[in-house]
Amino acid sequence: DRARLVIFYRRRGYPRVTVDTVVKELAPVAVELRFNINEGPPIILRSFVVRGLEPVPEMERIVRNLPVREGGRFDRFALDAAADSIRHRLHNSGYPRADAINNFTVNDSALLAWDTLTVTPGPRTRIGAIRIEVTPFQGKAQQIPTSVVRRIMGLDSGRLFRESEIEDAQRALYQTEAYQHVSIS
Protein backbone atom coordinates (compact mmCIF):
# COMPACT_ATOMS: atom_id res chain seq x y z
CA ASP A 1 0.00 0.00 0.00
CA ARG A 2 2.86 2.37 0.73
CA ALA A 3 4.29 1.85 -2.78
CA ARG A 4 0.85 2.44 -4.34
CA LEU A 5 0.50 5.72 -2.48
CA VAL A 6 3.93 6.86 -3.66
CA ILE A 7 3.05 6.01 -7.29
CA PHE A 8 -0.32 7.75 -6.97
CA TYR A 9 1.22 10.97 -5.66
CA ARG A 10 4.00 10.95 -8.24
CA ARG A 11 1.47 10.62 -11.07
CA ARG A 12 -0.43 13.53 -9.51
CA GLY A 13 2.66 15.74 -9.72
CA TYR A 14 4.47 15.24 -6.41
CA PRO A 15 7.82 13.59 -7.26
CA ARG A 16 9.32 14.13 -3.81
CA VAL A 17 6.48 12.57 -1.87
CA THR A 18 7.40 10.52 1.17
CA VAL A 19 5.13 7.98 2.79
CA ASP A 20 5.95 6.61 6.22
CA THR A 21 3.97 3.86 7.87
CA VAL A 22 3.39 3.43 11.57
CA VAL A 23 2.08 0.11 12.83
CA LYS A 24 0.68 -0.01 16.35
CA GLU A 25 -0.42 -3.30 17.89
CA LEU A 26 -3.90 -2.99 19.41
CA ALA A 27 -4.48 -6.62 20.33
CA PRO A 28 -2.92 -9.99 19.48
CA VAL A 29 -4.88 -10.12 16.19
CA ALA A 30 -5.43 -6.40 15.47
CA VAL A 31 -3.19 -3.52 14.47
CA GLU A 32 -3.63 0.15 13.70
CA LEU A 33 -1.91 1.23 10.51
CA ARG A 34 -1.17 4.91 9.87
CA PHE A 35 0.26 6.43 6.71
CA ASN A 36 2.03 9.75 7.15
CA ILE A 37 2.21 11.45 3.76
CA ASN A 38 4.40 14.44 3.00
CA GLU A 39 3.56 15.56 -0.54
CA GLY A 40 6.53 17.86 -0.98
CA PRO A 41 6.48 20.60 -3.61
CA PRO A 42 4.50 19.94 -6.82
CA ILE A 43 5.76 19.95 -10.39
CA ILE A 44 4.36 23.00 -12.19
CA LEU A 45 3.05 22.71 -15.74
CA ARG A 46 4.87 25.56 -17.51
CA SER A 47 3.27 25.00 -20.91
CA PHE A 48 0.16 23.21 -22.15
CA VAL A 49 -0.33 23.34 -25.93
CA VAL A 50 -3.05 21.68 -28.00
CA ARG A 51 -2.01 21.14 -31.63
CA GLY A 52 -3.94 19.85 -34.62
CA LEU A 53 -7.36 21.42 -34.06
CA GLU A 54 -6.88 24.23 -36.59
CA PRO A 55 -9.21 22.65 -39.21
CA VAL A 56 -12.00 22.09 -36.63
CA PRO A 57 -14.60 24.91 -36.74
CA GLU A 58 -15.63 24.33 -33.10
CA MET A 59 -12.03 24.43 -31.83
CA GLU A 60 -12.78 26.78 -28.91
CA ARG A 61 -15.67 24.62 -27.69
CA ILE A 62 -13.56 21.46 -28.01
CA VAL A 63 -10.83 22.80 -25.67
CA ARG A 64 -13.10 24.68 -23.23
CA ASN A 65 -12.94 23.72 -19.53
CA LEU A 66 -10.25 21.06 -19.79
CA PRO A 67 -8.93 19.81 -16.41
CA VAL A 68 -5.40 21.05 -17.23
CA ARG A 69 -4.09 24.59 -16.85
CA GLU A 70 -0.76 26.14 -17.72
CA GLY A 71 0.78 27.20 -14.40
CA GLY A 72 -1.11 24.49 -12.51
CA ARG A 73 0.16 21.25 -11.05
CA PHE A 74 1.46 18.64 -13.51
CA ASP A 75 -1.10 15.85 -13.07
CA ARG A 76 -0.84 12.89 -15.45
CA PHE A 77 -4.40 11.78 -14.62
CA ALA A 78 -5.69 15.25 -15.61
CA LEU A 79 -3.64 15.16 -18.83
CA ASP A 80 -5.19 11.79 -19.73
CA ALA A 81 -8.64 13.17 -18.89
CA ALA A 82 -8.03 16.19 -21.15
CA ALA A 83 -7.08 13.92 -24.06
CA ASP A 84 -10.19 11.76 -23.41
CA SER A 85 -12.41 14.88 -23.28
CA ILE A 86 -11.09 16.16 -26.59
CA ARG A 87 -11.54 12.76 -28.25
CA HIS A 88 -15.09 12.47 -26.92
CA ARG A 89 -16.03 16.01 -27.96
CA LEU A 90 -14.66 15.45 -31.46
CA HIS A 91 -16.50 12.11 -31.78
CA ASN A 92 -19.68 14.07 -31.09
CA SER A 93 -18.81 16.86 -33.54
CA GLY A 94 -18.48 14.88 -36.75
CA TYR A 95 -15.02 13.35 -36.28
CA PRO A 96 -15.52 9.62 -35.54
CA ARG A 97 -11.82 8.76 -36.02
CA ALA A 98 -10.37 11.58 -33.91
CA ASP A 99 -7.47 10.84 -31.58
CA ALA A 100 -5.45 12.86 -29.05
CA ILE A 101 -2.04 11.92 -27.65
CA ASN A 102 -0.07 13.58 -24.83
CA ASN A 103 3.65 14.14 -25.17
CA PHE A 104 5.18 15.63 -22.05
CA THR A 105 8.62 16.48 -20.74
CA VAL A 106 9.42 16.66 -17.04
CA ASN A 107 12.38 18.19 -15.24
CA ASP A 108 12.17 16.65 -11.75
CA SER A 109 15.02 18.68 -10.31
CA ALA A 110 13.49 22.03 -11.40
CA LEU A 111 9.92 20.79 -10.67
CA LEU A 112 8.76 21.87 -14.14
CA ALA A 113 6.85 20.12 -16.94
CA TRP A 114 5.75 20.88 -20.48
CA ASP A 115 2.93 19.10 -22.32
CA THR A 116 1.81 19.07 -25.94
CA LEU A 117 -1.48 17.39 -26.75
CA THR A 118 -1.40 16.42 -30.42
CA VAL A 119 -4.84 15.96 -31.94
CA THR A 120 -5.60 14.15 -35.17
CA PRO A 121 -9.25 14.93 -35.95
CA GLY A 122 -9.50 12.91 -39.15
CA PRO A 123 -12.12 13.72 -41.79
CA ARG A 124 -15.37 15.44 -40.84
CA THR A 125 -18.05 12.87 -41.46
CA ARG A 126 -21.75 12.90 -42.18
CA ILE A 127 -24.13 9.97 -41.98
CA GLY A 128 -24.45 8.36 -45.39
CA ALA A 129 -27.10 5.92 -46.48
CA ILE A 130 -28.88 4.17 -43.65
CA ARG A 131 -29.41 0.47 -44.29
CA ILE A 132 -31.52 -1.53 -41.87
CA GLU A 133 -31.18 -5.29 -41.67
CA VAL A 134 -33.55 -7.19 -39.42
CA THR A 135 -33.08 -10.90 -38.77
CA PRO A 136 -36.43 -12.26 -37.61
CA PHE A 137 -36.85 -15.40 -35.54
CA GLN A 138 -36.52 -18.55 -37.57
CA GLY A 139 -39.67 -19.22 -39.57
CA LYS A 140 -41.16 -15.75 -38.89
CA ALA A 141 -41.44 -12.58 -40.93
CA GLN A 142 -40.19 -9.15 -39.81
CA GLN A 143 -42.73 -7.90 -37.25
CA ILE A 144 -41.87 -4.16 -37.08
CA PRO A 145 -41.85 -2.29 -40.40
CA THR A 146 -38.57 -0.71 -41.47
CA SER A 147 -40.19 2.75 -41.54
CA VAL A 148 -41.03 2.41 -37.83
CA VAL A 149 -37.48 1.25 -37.06
CA ARG A 150 -36.14 4.36 -38.84
CA ARG A 151 -38.44 6.62 -36.82
CA ILE A 152 -37.41 5.00 -33.51
CA MET A 153 -33.72 5.39 -34.37
CA GLY A 154 -34.05 9.09 -35.14
CA LEU A 155 -31.04 9.12 -37.49
CA ASP A 156 -31.11 10.82 -40.88
CA SER A 157 -28.78 10.64 -43.86
CA GLY A 158 -26.70 13.78 -44.29
CA ARG A 159 -26.56 14.71 -40.60
CA LEU A 160 -23.21 15.25 -38.96
CA PHE A 161 -21.88 12.10 -37.31
CA ARG A 162 -22.31 12.22 -33.53
CA GLU A 163 -21.28 9.18 -31.53
CA SER A 164 -23.80 9.97 -28.79
CA GLU A 165 -26.67 9.95 -31.33
CA ILE A 166 -25.54 6.57 -32.66
CA GLU A 167 -25.53 5.20 -29.10
CA ASP A 168 -28.96 6.78 -28.42
CA ALA A 169 -30.37 5.15 -31.58
CA GLN A 170 -29.05 1.75 -30.56
CA ARG A 171 -30.41 2.18 -27.04
CA ALA A 172 -33.84 3.30 -28.33
CA LEU A 173 -34.15 0.19 -30.50
CA TYR A 174 -33.01 -2.10 -27.72
CA GLN A 175 -35.42 -0.51 -25.22
CA THR A 176 -38.38 -1.43 -27.41
CA GLU A 177 -37.68 -5.00 -26.19
CA ALA A 178 -38.54 -6.14 -29.70
CA TYR A 179 -34.98 -7.25 -30.44
CA GLN A 180 -32.57 -9.65 -28.75
CA HIS A 181 -29.56 -7.84 -30.20
CA VAL A 182 -29.08 -4.42 -31.77
CA SER A 183 -25.89 -3.40 -33.54
CA ILE A 184 -25.19 -0.18 -35.39
CA SER A 185 -22.06 0.06 -37.51
Side-chain angles (χ1 to χ4, degrees):
D1 289 338
R2 181 191 167 283
R4 289 181 186 172
L5 284 169
V6 168
I7 292 167
F8 174 83
Y9 273 87
R10 285 183 179 165
R11 285 187 52 95
R12 290 287 186 176
Y14 297 98
R16 298 179 185 163
V17 64
T18 59
V19 178
D20 295 321
T21 55
V22 178
V23 180
K24 179 180 173 184
E25 188 173 338
L26 299 177
V29 292
V31 294
E32 174 185 284
L33 182 60
R34 181 179 305 160
F35 293 98
N36 295 320
I37 302 169
N38 180 354
E39 294 175 342
I43 294 176
I44 302 300
L45 186 61
R46 292 286 294 211
S47 170
F48 177 66
V49 177
V50 179
R51 290 201 173 122
L53 285 175
E54 295 76 17
V56 177
E58 306 90 354
M59 180 172 70
E60 289 182 23
R61 183 183 58 79
I62 299 295
V63 297
R64 187 178 303 137
N65 298 324
L66 293 176
V68 177
R69 295 284 176 260
E70 199 170 285
R73 181 172 38 87
F74 173 71
D75 183 334
R76 289 174 52 188
F77 291 112
L79 292 173
D80 290 344
D84 286 344
S85 293
I86 287 175
R87 268 191 298 274
H88 181 72
R89 291 170 185 176
L90 286 168
H91 290 177
N92 284 306
S93 298
Y95 299 92
R97 291 184 174 86
D99 200 9
I101 299 171
N102 276 309
N103 185 11
F104 57 84
T105 302
V106 178
N107 182 328
D108 283 329
S109 60
L111 296 172
L112 298 174
W114 299 263
D115 183 63
T116 300
L117 189 80
T118 303
V119 180
T120 310
R124 193 147 203 203
T125 305
R126 296 193 173 277
I127 296 175
I130 297 175
R131 192 176 77 231
I132 297 171
E133 296 176 11
V134 176
T135 306
F137 281 114
Q138 190 173 12
K140 299 231 177 188
Q142 181 176 336
Q143 300 294 306
I144 300 172
T146 300
S147 61
V148 173
V149 173
R150 281 185 189 280
R151 202 168 44 249
I152 292 170
M153 284 182 5
L155 297 174
D156 294 316
S157 293
R159 285 178 51 173
L160 206 55
F161 178 93
R162 298 188 192 286
E163 189 173 73
S164 61
E165 290 179 359
I166 302 294
E167 292 167 354
D168 290 346
Q170 185 171 351
R171 188 177 305 110
L173 286 171
Y174 189 74
Q175 286 176 338
T176 65
E177 297 184 7
Y179 303 101
Q180 285 186 317
H181 176 76
V182 176
S183 176
I184 296 180
S185 56

